């Protein structure tokens, strides 16, 4: 078990990278603490697999260091890093039985057969593979093969960390849910550092205590699911987390008011001051649909908007609104009065995020 630190790490698949876009991993410094259950969440192509492969040693980074418990491991092979990695698609030995597949990583490091037997049975039990133990891996379904693959990752309890790269992709949805809970259970039982890669926010938040959100080769936020929801550090996190994502729209300061398009947005002094002194023209406000206050009649400080659509989702509805040219979403619960052609909305000051060049800027509310 180890703490994993990445120090000024960067990677490009090109021989002579120039611009930041040439990097699959842009320079990052990041620490995964020992024993943590982490998710690495981001869209396809953002660099998740590249990062995992650098940690496990399958890939050598262009620059920077990987440290396990403070020791630089850049020069160590994957075996010597003592890491288990589970991939998106099953890696099993077809001609071996399930039992021998699970036993393999243990026998490989000279574990006694008593201990092998004990661990194989334990892991098979957790993954519900006991009935298959004597079968040859080639006769298994895709689901079962992937479970064997996961079992091979989980069978050793002396590894520095276990890395999962979208391991449930080929698993059917019902089993997915169950396996995710099992992984969490296993984490709690063995206290091994686990990094779980996924592009699915639900999967990330059910498994992990802390989530690193990756975007264009950078970790743009590292926080609890709640922090990602309440205080997205980057517009991408606002947009990517939540369903629907955060409303984000361009604003500027004009004659003592904040305006979006031609509409004045009534907000407190602290937000105005921050907008006015922003050092860029790329200034956005962000507010989650859950925090948009919706009224059916005019209210003090309310902004009139048109209602384009109402999607009734049972206990709540999602409203599609227009404020000038700006499209917004708002979420109201079933007991709230439902607006028709127009509505009046307010943005609570303490639920608004200010983003300058896409990164969140703290506001002094006074
Ligand atoms: P993710 O796992 O988040 O989908 P990857 O780490 O696989 O992302 O890819 C990050 C970027 O690096 C992508 O632009 C991808 O096309 C590129 N890439 C990945 N593997 C290679 C490779 N072996 N050679 C060249 N480019 C690669
Ligand atoms: Mg990948």
């Amino acid at each position: 078990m180890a703490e994993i630190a990445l120090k000024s790490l960067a990677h490009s698949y090109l021989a002579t990278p120039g611009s930041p876009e040439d990097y699959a991993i842009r320079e990052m410094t990041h620490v995964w603490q020992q024993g943590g259950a982490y998710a690495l969440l981001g869209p396809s192509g953002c660099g998740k697999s590249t990062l995992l492969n650098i940690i496990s040693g399958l890939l050598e980074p262009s620059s920077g260091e990987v440290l396990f418990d403070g020791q630089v491991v850049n020069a160590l092979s994957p075996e010597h890093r003592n890491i288990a990695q589970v991939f998106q698609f099953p890696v099993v030995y077809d001609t071996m039985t399930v039992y021998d597949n699970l036993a393999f990583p243990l026998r490989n490091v000279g574990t006694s057969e008593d201990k092998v037997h004990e661990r194989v049975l334990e892991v098979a039990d957790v993954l519900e593979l006991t009935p298959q133990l004597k079968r040859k891996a080639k006769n298994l379904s895709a689901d079962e093969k992937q479970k064997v693959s996961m079992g091979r990752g989980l069978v050793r309890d002396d590894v520095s960390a276990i890395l999962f790269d979208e391991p449930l992709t080929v698993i059917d949805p019902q089993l997915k849910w169950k396996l995710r809970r099992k992984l969490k259970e296993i984490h709690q039982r063995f206290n091994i550092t686990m990094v779980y890669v996924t592009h699915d926010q639900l999967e990330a938040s059910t498994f992990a205590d802390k989530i690193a959100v990756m975007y264009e080769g950078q970790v743009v936020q590292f926080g609890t699911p709640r922090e990602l929801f309440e205080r997205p550090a980057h517009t991408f996190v606002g947009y990517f987390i939540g369903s629907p994502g955060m409303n984000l729209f361009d604003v500027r300061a004009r004659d003592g008011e904040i305006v979006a398009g031609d509409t004045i947005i009534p907000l407190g002094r602290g937000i105005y001051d921050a907008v006015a002194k922003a050092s860029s023209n790329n200034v956005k406000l962000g507010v989650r649909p859950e925090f948009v206050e919706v009224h059916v009649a005019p209210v003090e400080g309310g902004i009139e908007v048109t209602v384009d659509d109402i999607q009734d989702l049972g206990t709540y509805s999602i409203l599609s609104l227009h404020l000038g040219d700006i499209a917004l979403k708002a979420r109201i619960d079933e007991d709230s009065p439902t607006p028709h052609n127009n509505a009046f909305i307010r943005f609570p000051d303490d639920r608004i995020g200010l983003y300058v060049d896409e990164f969140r800027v703290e506001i002094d509310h006074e």
Side-chain angles (χ1 to χ4, degrees), residues 89-118:
F89 299 102
V91 180
V92 295
Y93 295 109
D94 268 343
T95 54
M96 286 187 191
T97 61
V98 170
Y99 186 102
D100 288 339
N101 264 287
L102 295 176
F104 191 86
L106 294 165
R107 289 178 175 152
N108 215 17
V109 292
T111 311
S112 74
E113 279 303 311
D114 285 352
K115 176 85 196 277
V116 169
H117 192 66
E118 181 191 319

Side-chain angles (χ1 to χ4, degrees), residues 14-26:
L14 305 177
T16 50
S19 65
E21 293 79 52
D22 291 344
Y23 283 84
I25 302 296
R26 300 192 193 180

Side-chain angles (χ1 to χ4, degrees), residues 13 24 43-50:
Y13 287 101
S44 175
C46 72
K48 304 179 299 294
S49 295
T50 302

Side-chain angles (χ1 to χ4, degrees), residues 245-249 285-289 291-292 347-348 351-353:
M246 191 175 218
N247 296 297
L248 289 153
F249 48 93
L285 288 183
V287 58
R288 292 222 175 258
F291 302 142
V292 175
F347 303 127
R351 292 302 199 175
I352 280 267

Side-chain angles (χ1 to χ4, degrees), residues 6 19-20 30 41 43 57-58 64 102 104 148 166 172 191 199 208 212 214 239 270 280 297 308 336 350 352:
L6 310 172
S19 65
H30 187 80
L41 173 68
L58 292 174
L102 295 176
F104 191 86
V148 174
E166 313 212 30
D172 79 58
N191 196 36
H199 59 266
M214 241 182 128
Y239 151 84
S280 160
D308 300 327
S336 310
D350 60 344
I352 280 267

